[in-house]
Amino acid sequence: MNTAPLAKRSICFTKATSNQFGHLTTPIVSLISHQLDAPKSIALASLLDTLCCGEESAIIAFTTLAQKNELGTFTQHKLDQIAKDEMRHEHMLWQLRCSLLPSTASAALRKDIKRFYTSLATHDIGLHCAQIAALDSGVCIVLSELRQDNLPIGNQPAINRIFTAIHNDEAHHASITLDLAHALATPGLHAHAAVTIRNKLAQLMETLGEALDILGVDNARLQRRLRSLPAAFLRTQ
């Protein structure tokens, strides 16, 4: 486990961890206690590359959406609060990441991760919200699989508390952004956007299959769950 204070840095989006977003820039000095062996520590660190990159992307997305005056003050406030939640998540994940052995994710994989999150960019607010809702609900699925009681993460109280807190927040975020998608996007289009993002997320998780195997995740079940969206996402009118 690392013991020296370590200043946070971005994995994918430097802008997200800059003072421009009022980000938490305090160096990591309090590490997360765990009893993961070396292979599991490395596997989790590799998975955290994806999760941290997602939080960086979310900080930018929700901070930007919260500045859209056409959404109204009440909605802007909700989105601003979500942006703050994402900053807190990113800080917690970095705190955890610094407690693990270094990730072995390749440069090519990190490019794929960044390409995935960059693909969410669109000027259509309704479609963007549909994509975010599909992504956030997908992340909830990944976290729920990792947190199974009989698996390594489920048996690590400190790590499990972090993932539980993020899981609960992301479920709330998905509900808010799905409501916005229904209000702002053409139903058929937002359903297509949601399916596309979930399939891309599933493909990304396939590339992390070895790490997920080490962490005890049933990859076949994870793939089925990621590629199956609730009816609320598939409304066509």
Side-chain angles (χ1 to χ4, degrees):
M1 179 185 293
N2 297 332
T3 56
L6 190 142
K8 288 190 292 181
R9 59 175 178 78
S10 64
I11 294 177
C12 293
F13 303 101
T14 304
K15 183 179 180 181
T17 54
S18 70
N19 289 329
Q20 176 182 351
F21 286 88
H23 195 267
L24 297 168
T25 55
T26 306
I28 298 297
V29 294
S30 177
L31 301 180
I32 305 302
S33 175
H34 67 81
Q35 296 179 334
L36 296 175
D37 61 25
K40 293 181 180 66
S41 179
I42 293 169
L44 181 55
S46 298
L47 181 61
L48 287 185
D49 283 353
T50 301
L51 296 179
C52 286
C53 191
E55 297 297 351
E56 292 170 11
S57 174
I59 290 167
I60 296 171
F62 283 109
T63 301
T64 302
L65 285 170
Q67 296 169 354
K68 303 289 185 183
N69 292 330
E70 62 266 38
L71 294 176
T73 303
F74 180 71
T75 298
Q76 285 179 282
H77 175 74
K78 281 187 177 181
L79 296 169
D80 182 65
Q81 184 56 57
I82 293 176
K84 290 180 171 63
D85 288 345
E86 305 295 5
M87 292 177 194
R88 179 167 46 82
H89 296 170
E90 193 271 345
H91 186 83
M92 290 192 293
L93 290 177
W94 256 102
Q95 196 174 28
L96 174 56
R97 197 170 185 271
C98 293
S99 308
L100 302 169
L101 293 173
S103 165
T104 58
S106 67
L109 175 56
R110 291 188 182 188
K111 285 183 180 178
D112 287 343
I113 294 169
K114 183 173 182 178
R115 188 179 301 114
F116 166 69
Y117 287 109
T118 302
S119 74
L120 274 69
T122 174
H123 293 296
D124 186 315
I125 297 175
L127 284 182
H128 199 185
C129 287
Q131 292 174 327
I132 292 172
L135 174 59
D136 284 354
S137 61
V139 169
C140 289
I141 290 171
V142 174
L143 292 175
S144 71
E145 291 291 333
L146 284 166
R147 293 172 49 233
Q148 297 290 321
D149 289 341
N150 59 327
L151 299 186
I153 299 303
N155 291 323
Q156 299 296 322
I159 299 176
N160 203 12
R161 279 195 296 272
I162 291 173
F163 283 175
T164 298
I166 294 174
H167 186 167
N168 291 339
D169 284 345
E170 296 300 346
H172 180 57
H173 300 170
S175 175
I176 291 172
T177 49
L178 183 58
D179 285 346
L180 282 172
H182 286 156
L184 299 172
T186 303
L189 291 179
H190 82 55
H192 176 74
V195 170
T196 299
I197 288 301
R198 275 293 196 87
N199 285 336
K200 287 183 177 181
L201 178 60
Q203 291 167 5
L204 184 59
M205 288 299 107
E206 282 183 330
T207 67
L208 290 162
E210 183 177 352
L212 291 167
D213 278 339
I214 292 171
L215 295 171
V217 171
D218 183 334
N219 276 301
R221 183 174 67 183
L222 175 61
Q223 287 293 316
R224 288 194 300 271
R225 292 184 67 192
L226 287 175
R227 295 177 188 275
S228 177
L229 272 82
F233 282 93
L234 304 176
R235 283 171 36 182
T236 56
Q237 57 182 349

